[in-house]
Amino acid sequence: MSANQEAKKVVVQEIVEKIKASKSIVLVDYNKLTVAEVSELRKKCKQAGCEYKVYKNTLMRKALNELGYNQFDNDLNGPTAIAFAGDETSAAKVMVAAAKDYTDKIVLKSAFVDNAYVDKNGIKALASMPSKEELVAKMLGSMQAPLANFAGVLNNLLSGIVRVLDGVAKSKA
């Protein structure tokens, strides 16, 4: 086997590991972006906890096929960039925002979330969802509200009893 084939196998294995380590990946067409815009997009991805990479389509296709996913074969044509994320929504949010910021320069292709293929409409829906942390915070806030209200009612009840007892004591004195 030639050194070139060995190098490609190493890259395919690297992609496989990145896919396994990511909770979501988003594929986009970045054809018309300038170098400065790509650098800015990489920076935005890094701030959001994502990694923006460009691999050869054939190597990306081999990695996905090795994992048993061949739904991406049609999307891996033309210039393709991939955003790998450690959560389900951050890559989609960054890429949807970039598609709006760089109109006609970035085109959403597809995504891989929770071991499933997601089309470009699904990416937009995913980007509009709150993150897991936001959902947990909302749920905890909802659970805490009744307890806080109950504590307030108890406090008002006790202070009312104290006022009544204080009034009785003053009237008898």
Side-chain angles (χ1 to χ4, degrees):
M1 202 176 284
S2 72
N4 189 26
Q5 287 177 325
E6 283 297 322
K8 286 180 181 180
K9 279 190 174 190
V10 169
V11 172
V12 168
Q13 197 56 41
E14 174 188 324
I15 296 169
V16 167
E17 294 303 318
K18 283 184 186 257
I19 292 170
K20 286 181 179 178
S22 301
K23 292 206 177 186
S24 67
I25 64 169
V26 177
L27 284 71
V28 296
D29 181 337
Y30 69 99
N31 189 24
K32 298 171 186 159
L33 286 179
T34 64
V35 173
E37 290 168 337
V38 169
S39 296
E40 185 178 333
L41 184 56
R42 284 184 198 276
K43 190 167 114 180
K44 287 179 183 177
C45 283
K46 192 170 189 171
Q47 290 171 346
C50 305
E51 183 183 4
Y52 180 90
K53 293 283 279 182
V54 176
Y55 290 107
K56 285 187 156 194
N57 287 333
T58 53
L59 300 179
M60 190 68 190
R61 188 177 296 117
K62 281 183 183 181
L64 286 164
N65 288 343
E66 189 175 305
L67 291 170
Y69 303 105
N70 57 5
Q71 305 93 321
F72 297 92
D73 289 353
N74 292 332
D75 297 328
L76 292 168
N77 294 312
T80 305
I82 302 100
F84 298 92
D87 67 2
E88 290 82 3
T89 60
S90 62
K93 287 181 181 189
V94 171
M95 289 303 150
V96 167
K100 288 179 185 173
D101 293 345
Y102 307 117
T103 308
D104 296 330
K105 291 185 176 185
I106 289 189
V107 179
L108 301 172
K109 288 186 172 185
S110 60
F112 179 70
V113 180
D114 200 23
N115 296 325
Y117 175 85
V118 178
D119 65 1
K120 61 182 164 186
N121 293 327
I123 297 171
K124 291 176 184 174
L126 197 60
S128 67
M129 291 175 58
S131 69
K132 185 176 181 179
E133 291 78 20
E134 291 170 328
L135 289 173
V136 168
K138 286 181 182 180
M139 184 183 76
L140 289 176
S142 297
M143 290 171 62
Q144 184 181 7
L147 293 175
N149 291 342
F150 183 66
V153 167
L154 286 179
N155 188 31
N156 289 338
L157 183 64
L158 291 175
S159 64
I161 291 171
V162 169
R163 281 192 300 271
V164 168
L165 291 175
D166 186 48
V168 170
K170 285 182 182 178
S171 69
K172 289 194 176 191

